[in-house]
Amino acid sequence: MIYDHRTYTCRPGTIGKHMALYGEHGWPIQRKHLGDPVVYGAVETGDVNSYVHIWVFDDAADRATKRAALAADPEWQEYLKKSAEAGYLVSQVNKILKPAPFFKG
């Protein structure tokens, strides 16, 4: 199992607008291809202009297959276009995590 941990940062004052745009146009199609994330939340302390989501995959091949299907979906492409036009996002940091040998989450 692997975890895909993603942190996105929005321009100050735009995280609510970005979440509304994503909630309407991105969330349904992303869940269709990736399933439900373990976590999807806005940061409440620290960098309050950011949010984090963590997705679980069987392995790197499972992640690659699901993300390729998402990337190829015209609805996802339309969401990405809307997001880029809105210009709310300023950075993205992705990390792939492997569970510790003693963790059975």
Side-chain angles (χ1 to χ4, degrees), residues 68-90:
L70 175 65
D73 192 306
E75 289 182 79
W76 182 248
Q77 291 299 319
E78 185 60 30
Y79 162 70
L80 293 178
K81 181 180 174 188
K82 289 175 193 277
S83 179
E85 289 170 354
Y88 302 138
L89 293 176
V90 295

Side-chain angles (χ1 to χ4, degrees), residues 83-99:
S83 179
E85 289 170 354
Y88 302 138
L89 293 176
V90 295
S91 70
Q92 172 182 345
V93 177
N94 299 351
K95 298 175 185 175
I96 300 297
L97 308 171
K98 290 178 22 180

Side-chain angles (χ1 to χ4, degrees), residues 10-81:
C10 294
R11 287 185 302 120
T14 66
I15 194 166
K17 293 175 185 178
H18 174 73
M19 288 293 199
L21 177 71
Y22 173 76
E24 183 177 346
H25 301 284
W27 175 245
I29 193 65
Q30 196 166 29
R31 284 182 67 222
K32 173 183 167 186
H33 291 285
L34 304 184
D36 288 322
V38 174
V39 171
Y40 204 116
V43 174
E44 189 154 320
T45 60
D47 186 355
V48 296
N49 297 304
S50 63
Y51 63 98
V52 173
H53 43 106
I54 302 172
W55 305 84
V56 178
F57 299 98
D58 294 336
D59 52 32
D62 179 44
R63 178 183 177 273
T65 299
K66 288 177 178 174
R67 291 205 51 86
L70 175 65
D73 192 306
E75 289 182 79
W76 182 248
Q77 291 299 319
E78 185 60 30
Y79 162 70
L80 293 178
K81 181 180 174 188

